[in-house]
Amino acid sequence: MQDLTTSEVYSLGIVSAVCLAILFNAFQSNGEPLYASLAIGGLAFSFSYALIQWTGDVFVRRGYKGRDLSKKTRPEIPEAMGLVSALVYLLAIVSFLPFAFKRDIVAVTSGGGNKDLRLDIEDIENGRFLHRFPLEKVGHLHAALHNLASYGFAYGTLASITILGILDDSFDMRWRHKFFIPAFAALPMLALYFVDFGVTHVVVPLPLRPYFGELVDLGILYYLYMAAISIFCPNSINILAGINGLEVGQSLVIACLIILNDSLYLLPTVQQPHPAADSHLFSIYLLLPFVGVSLALFRHNWYPSKVFVGDTYCYFAGMLFAVVGILGHFSKTLLLLFIPQIFNFVYSAPQLFGLVPCPRHRLPRFNARTGLMEPSVATFSEEKPLIPIVGQVLKLLHAFKLLRIVQDEQGRVVESTNFTIINLWLVWRGRLREDRLATELLVMQTVVGLVGLWIRHKLALLMFTVDNRF
Ligand code: UD1
Ligand code: MG
């Protein structure tokens, strides 16, 4: 077991003490969910930071270990440590529920006879509280149950994806087999959507309204769309990976950008109570603890990594974004925050779908002599030939600096850089040290995400007559 250093013990101790005090105060008043969520995020950070440190060796002993391919000595370090973050996160969400619903419980039971609580035969037959509610409070109760269902099904979906992630990390599955894993985990969430919202209409952008009208019912297609998002988000994070800190880093950037977008709906300048405020609060409450557990993991996973996060973390993070986007009704905005991942996915498609041979690892190549990262390559030979027409397309991409290829004397493409934006970035920027590469990619992602959000709220006015913030 790896112990924490003295300064780590003090810092984590102080963070935890402050967070506990906030939680205690929140519970004394009416739950204060926002403060409670922030404090639970802080506690989740401390807890996962310490647990990752303490359990790394245990993971290695159980065979959960991987070689850091981009270091001179290729050290073996714990793999799949994102499992710790995911489990602490699930615990955090359950701990948050009393704070989320205290206000509702008080509102529903106050004056409704909660002072003389005692069980009698009627209670046992009808449940403890339900029959006592005056009618006007039933509406309130309904809203609270609706919210509780969202938390419950989000929890179910995230717990399922964590289990499936562990399977993947344990059996090192083939890419084409594991691609659809997240669809199974998303079933609880889709079931809730079916039972609870069932809204499959979309608002048509202005230019298309003469043809389609104001609203279009997509029906079953909408469920396929949501399933596609649930498959895409986890996988797209998992394949934008291979350098220290990138998996968690990109998830943190997306989480913070979603929180930023959520806050835009809660500002005092927006007319309150805004109809979408509840959905965005739901999203914030789910994301703050996620930021906590992810920051802890990031500290251990940043260059030079002491642990790897595993596919468990990538799936879990991606699925959380899908959950808040879908249940919070902002899945299209969510996709704007995934632009680098979408680009990487589309750019990767030729390798993912077998048009171009795909090696097991596409992470950039570490040059031990310079200590810098270079684009990694796929080579094409008699055994792994390239279809001639594909060769022509690669030459075209090369001409547009979207790839780097090597040709033999006959002009046949014998080698090309692997199709990931990490390699493409190196083609553009030249050799870079691993941490520099990760930082640049994260900055690029942040800038693209901010521009995406800006366009989202500006362009909405042109395409939909109103931005839904107003
Ligand atoms: C995905 C990518 C693969 C990439 C890998 C890196 C696709 C289709 N798959 O596969 O190309 O190589 O992620 O995570 O795009 N590793 C490092 N340094 C890091 C992170 C990972 O060396 O900073 C290595 C370690 O050996 C680690 C392994 O990658 O054990 C983890 O790979 P894994 O996450 O299992 O790969 P996939 O998700 O299947
Ligand atoms: Mg992976």
Side-chain angles (χ1 to χ4, degrees):
M1 189 173 105
Q2 287 249 310
D3 285 327
L4 296 165
T5 64
T6 318
S7 70
E8 282 171 338
V9 171
Y10 280 122
S11 330
L12 296 180
I14 292 171
V15 171
S16 307
V18 171
C19 291
L20 278 173
I22 297 176
L23 274 187
F24 182 75
N25 277 321
F27 202 72
Q28 293 295 306
S29 54
N30 62 3
E32 298 294 353
L34 194 55
Y35 293 120
S37 175
L38 204 60
I40 286 177
L43 281 172
F45 168 82
S46 308
F47 195 37
S48 27
Y49 187 97
L51 264 184
I52 292 171
Q53 180 94 347
W54 290 332
T55 56
D57 296 353
V58 185
F59 273 65
V60 172
R61 277 207 296 280
R62 279 275 154 199
Y64 291 96
K65 55 189 174 185
R67 287 205 178 277
D68 193 340
L69 304 172
S70 310
K71 304 289 175 298
K72 279 204 170 97
T73 54
R74 293 192 163 205
E76 214 164 34
I77 58 178
E79 174 68 278
M81 292 303 288
L83 175 61
V84 174
S85 296
L87 294 180
V88 172
Y89 176 83
L90 291 174
L91 199 64
I93 288 303
V94 175
S95 322
F96 174 65
L97 290 183
F99 298 91
F101 291 98
K102 182 151 188 226
R103 199 175 297 178
D104 297 310
I105 295 169
V106 171
V108 172
T109 54
S110 60
N114 63 332
K115 291 194 184 65
D116 57 341
L117 277 180
R118 65 193 166 79
L119 279 180
D120 49 33
I121 200 77
E122 197 190 2
D123 290 340
I124 293 165
E125 279 171 3
N126 298 319
R128 273 189 305 151
F129 292 127
L130 274 176
H131 67 289
R132 293 185 179 175
F133 293 146
L135 265 181
E136 77 272 11
K137 294 191 173 172
V138 170
H140 193 98
L141 180 71
H142 180 261
L145 284 177
H146 167 92
N147 276 339
L148 184 61
S150 297
Y151 284 101
F153 281 82
Y155 184 95
T157 297
L158 293 170
S160 317
I161 196 71
T162 307
I163 295 173
L164 294 172
I166 301 169
L167 279 184
D168 178 350
D169 278 325
S170 306
F171 297 109
D172 202 15
M173 292 150 104
R174 299 288 299 273
W175 197 82
R176 58 174 103 59
H177 297 152
K178 64 194 195 186
F179 182 72
F180 292 102
I181 282 183
F184 295 99
L187 287 176
M189 171 178 54
L190 296 183
L192 172 72
Y193 199 92
F194 180 71
V195 176
D196 203 17
F197 308 113
V199 184
T200 50
H201 291 81
V202 288
V203 182
V204 178
L206 274 183
L208 299 178
R209 280 192 195 166
Y211 313 104
F212 297 103
E214 211 169 311
L215 289 175
V216 167
D217 186 8
L218 292 181
I220 183 90
L221 286 181
Y222 198 80
Y223 287 91
L224 290 180
Y225 160 73
M226 291 188 288
I229 290 200
S230 323
I231 294 176
F232 169 76
C233 293
N235 279 307
S236 68
I237 292 180
N238 190 30
I239 65 169
L240 185 49
I243 55 173
N244 291 182
L246 194 59
E247 285 123 312
V248 202
Q250 67 183 302
S251 306
L252 275 168
V253 169
I254 295 173
C256 293
L257 288 169
I258 301 180
I259 293 177
L260 173 72
N261 182 56
D262 291 330
S263 322
L264 294 180
Y265 290 82
L266 304 168
L267 292 174
T269 48
V270 176
Q271 197 190 2
Q272 297 294 350
H274 188 283
D278 269 351
S279 313
H280 287 284
L281 275 172
F282 172 73
S283 158
I284 290 191
Y285 297 155
L286 286 192
L287 286 172
L288 285 176
F290 174 78
V291 170
V293 297
S294 298
L295 273 178
L297 189 58
F298 187 70
R299 290 276 301 176
H300 293 284
N301 180 240
W302 183 247
Y303 179 91
S305 288
K306 283 176 228 61
V307 308
F308 285 137
V309 303
D311 293 350
T312 308
Y313 178 81
C314 301
Y315 290 167
F316 161 74
M319 191 53 98
L320 174 61
F321 300 141
V323 165
V324 295
I326 288 173
L327 296 184
H329 306 286
F330 57 86
S331 56
K332 285 180 261 79
T333 309
L334 177 73
L335 289 180
L336 279 178
L337 304 179
F338 268 83
I339 290 174
Q341 286 77 8
I342 294 174
F343 182 87
N344 188 51
F345 202 87
V346 174
Y347 186 61
S348 292
Q351 284 196 314
L352 297 183
F353 300 111
L355 274 176
V356 175
C358 180
R360 166 68 183 89
H361 279 293
R362 303 191 296 162
L363 50 86
R365 201 177 76 84
F366 173 69
N367 183 330
R369 201 170 42 80
T370 57
L372 301 176
M373 307 299 286
E374 300 169 353
S376 62
V377 294
T379 47
F380 317 120
S381 54
E382 297 298 326
E383 305 91 65
K384 282 191 291 177
L386 196 62
I387 310 167
I389 177 87
V390 176
Q392 295 303 322
V393 177
L394 298 198
K395 284 180 191 169
L396 201 67
L397 290 174
H398 175 85
F400 284 105
K401 281 209 176 338
L402 284 171
L403 200 67
R404 194 158 70 208
I405 56 166
V406 175
Q407 305 178 49
D408 62 8
E409 303 86 58
Q410 285 96 43
R412 278 179 310 204
V413 181
V414 289
E415 182 185 296
S416 111
T417 51
N418 280 312
F419 294 56
T420 69
I421 54 170
I422 312 177
N423 288 309
L424 182 59
W425 195 262
L426 289 169
V427 169
W428 289 340
R429 296 275 297 111
R431 294 172 185 160
L432 292 173
R433 210 174 84 160
E434 193 177 3
D435 51 344
R436 174 77 198 234
L437 174 60
T439 310
E440 289 190 7
L441 287 168
L442 292 177
V443 170
M444 178 272 291
Q445 188 199 350
T446 311
V447 172
V448 171
L450 286 173
V451 172
L453 278 187
W454 183 77
I455 292 177
R456 152 78 184 79
H457 291 288
K458 287 288 166 214
L459 213 64
L461 290 173
L462 297 179
M463 301 296 272
F464 298 102
T465 56
V466 283
D467 178 11
N468 68 353
R469 276 202 311 130
F470 299 102

